Amino acid sequence: MDTALADVVRESDASVALLYVLPPDWNALWLTVMTGAPHEIAAPWTRVALTDPMPVADAVRERRLVWVDGQEEMARRYPRPALVLPYDFALAAAPVISGATVWGGLVLLWPGTHPPQLSPDERDAVEKGCRHLGSLMQQAADRGDPLLPTGRPRLVPPPAGRALSPAEATSVAAFLDRLPEGSCGLDLNGRITFITPSAAGLVGADPADLLGSLPWEALPWMDVPHVEDRYRAALVSRRPQVFTVLRPPDVWLSFELYPDSSGISVRITPSDPSDGAQVPKPVAAGPGRATVLYHLMHLAATLTEAVGVQDVVDQAADQLLPALGAQGMVLMTAEDGRLRILGHRGYRAELMARFDAIPLSSDIPGVRVLTTGVPGFFATFAELRHAYPLTVHEDGMAAWAFLPLIASGRPIGSLLLAYDRPHTFPPSERAVLTSLAGLVGQALDRARLYDSKHHLAHRLQSALLPHTLPRIPGLRVAARYLPAARGLGVGGDFYDLIRLDEHTAAAAIGDVQGHNVDAAALMGQVRTAVHAHATVGAAPDDVLAAANRLLTDLDPGLFTSCLYAHLDLARGRACLATAGHPSPLLRHADGHTERLHVPPGLLLGIEPDARYPTLEFPLPPGCVLALYTDGLVEAPGVDIDDAIAALAGLLEHADPTDLDAMTDTLIRHAPTPGDDIALLLISPQPDRE
């Protein structure tokens, strides 16, 4: 396997190779062998799910070669890996197949100087190598050999360089020692393999202490992000890199990195801090790469928790503006042929209102990116005016980046970043900006779906719950509904009051398991079933039995508690039946409050032939019957009997002549709503109208 992988790298002239294995009946690829780079470079992708937005996952899932010609295309198509490796390189990913079986995937990297397309010879080498690797994996599986590594992926060393004779080695060492500057060598893991005395003198360390170590670990003053970043850039792009570091207290050193397949040669020279060409100076573009990457990583993490469009707007603005040194941000999309402003920061609301809902036109900056998915960067207003001649400079900004928001391979919106000073956008920054826009686009797509479901659920629940309760002579009622503080904010709690005839009425309250659209829809079916059987005069036990048969026939996979009360106002009596619902409370006219122990019945939807015993009791004028769902009394770590007793105490001391105030009191003392709360208070009274 190692030889076959080395052959592919040599014949395709690639610089890095990663071989993934797809175990039978698994849905993830595992990195098993790699060459040309250290383990740390590929650490984030040791395991790749087949559904991940990664080139190797697409190649294996779709059984085709995936080609990415450079940094900007990687940022546009695969923002996650581009964000962690924002360097200039080309990539090919191909499935490793034997017969009809996909055994894994192969990823190859080329230097950033590679032409935009694979040559026919390179493509042939990749396809031939994948077939060979697939055949080897098939043979290993037939022998029963394990394909997955037991530890870290195996690292295949690069080909050995030209062997030097002792005389040549001595001559090379003398040559290097005579040079006025310092020289050292790094292997592919970044460790120092040799260093000249002059180089050791420049960095102020003993050569023996440096050999075999990482520079940023052996020399504390080199432990700055851009040192390792430039090493990684040299390794991945195979292009020379230059950086300058201050050796305390006042010695500036310049490092030039020259990479190849075996390692990196480093030239070290003193640097004049007054020479701007050698020492990087602060620029007005904003914080450095370390700060930018920190904010972008944080943005990636926080966006996974965004649950609505406004969350995405707020989190993107909070992270991006300080990280990138930008002063303005606008999130836009297209709806029904018009531009829609989803959110903004750093712009006047009046200006945004003028652009919101205007017809789409190619003359408007940012509209083109909505339709083509191609980003636009304008360092000055002159550049923007050249691209959009009709543009009026009215936002007070001096530079702009229009970035596509891509989700599922299509543009769903655009992100505008604006700067109050002219701002150049070098290729590396363009790639970072495009990557972050991809992350925002994916989060926005999820957030819009969430908002749509949230709106639909609320409309559904609003349609299913009673808007008003009927006026029934001799009866005063009050009701409240409070949605849960989690999920979509909707659920299956319901209540109802039904006028049966001149002297009788019915009340129902219930709780469908769950906090989603399915729960709300099932709640509507249960409430309708209870209402229908109540209006034909069925007894409480028969009403619940009929609703139970309906639910078991529907088999929704959700269970429902329900309590049904038949109220005979002429006789001053009530009859209750319950299907696993919390016990109601009865406040007598003298203030004494008791818990009514209704014979328990099974939850609706469990057993089709379940029976529901009843409890009959007096319901005289002046008493208050309280029906509620468990959200009013349940809380973590609180005994349910103690919670119901506390609720009874509140009911006992409340004013029975003002049921609305009584409901407010009971709701106000409820636990923090982690569940829906429904409350229905019923009080028989002589009709005073």
Side-chain angles (χ1 to χ4, degrees), residues 499-533:
R499 180 172 180 170
L500 300 179
D501 59 33
E502 186 178 354
H503 301 293
T504 59
I509 194 165
D511 181 0
V512 178
Q513 171 192 11
H515 301 88
N516 51 32
V517 175
D518 292 339
L522 185 60
M523 172 268 285
Q525 293 174 305
V526 174
R527 177 173 171 257
T528 301
V530 170
H531 200 288
H533 288 89

Side-chain angles (χ1 to χ4, degrees), residues 47-121:
R47 177 189 179 278
V48 177
L50 288 178
T51 55
D52 282 349
M54 297 285 294
V56 68
D58 287 352
V60 170
R61 191 177 60 254
E62 300 170 12
R63 297 194 175 204
R64 65 179 179 90
L65 188 145
V66 173
W67 170 251
V68 181
D69 66 13
Q71 188 177 11
E72 289 199 20
E73 186 181 0
M74 176 66 78
R76 188 164 55 248
R77 293 173 57 187
Y78 300 102
R80 259 198 255 169
L83 186 62
V84 181
L85 289 176
Y87 311 123
D88 196 15
F89 62 92
L91 177 148
V96 174
I97 300 176
S98 176
T101 304
V102 179
W103 289 101
L106 176 65
V107 178
L108 296 170
L109 273 60
W110 284 265
T113 54
H114 191 282
Q117 298 296 329
L118 276 175
S119 70
D121 289 344

Side-chain angles (χ1 to χ4, degrees), residues 394-414:
E394 54 184 335
D395 67 352
M397 299 297 181
W400 301 263
F402 295 92
L403 307 166
L405 302 179
I406 305 294
S408 302
R410 60 184 178 84
I412 63 167
S414 65

Side-chain angles (χ1 to χ4, degrees), residues 168-178 196:
E168 288 177 315
T170 301
S171 177
V172 169
F175 166 77
L176 293 173
D177 289 346
R178 285 192 295 268
T196 62

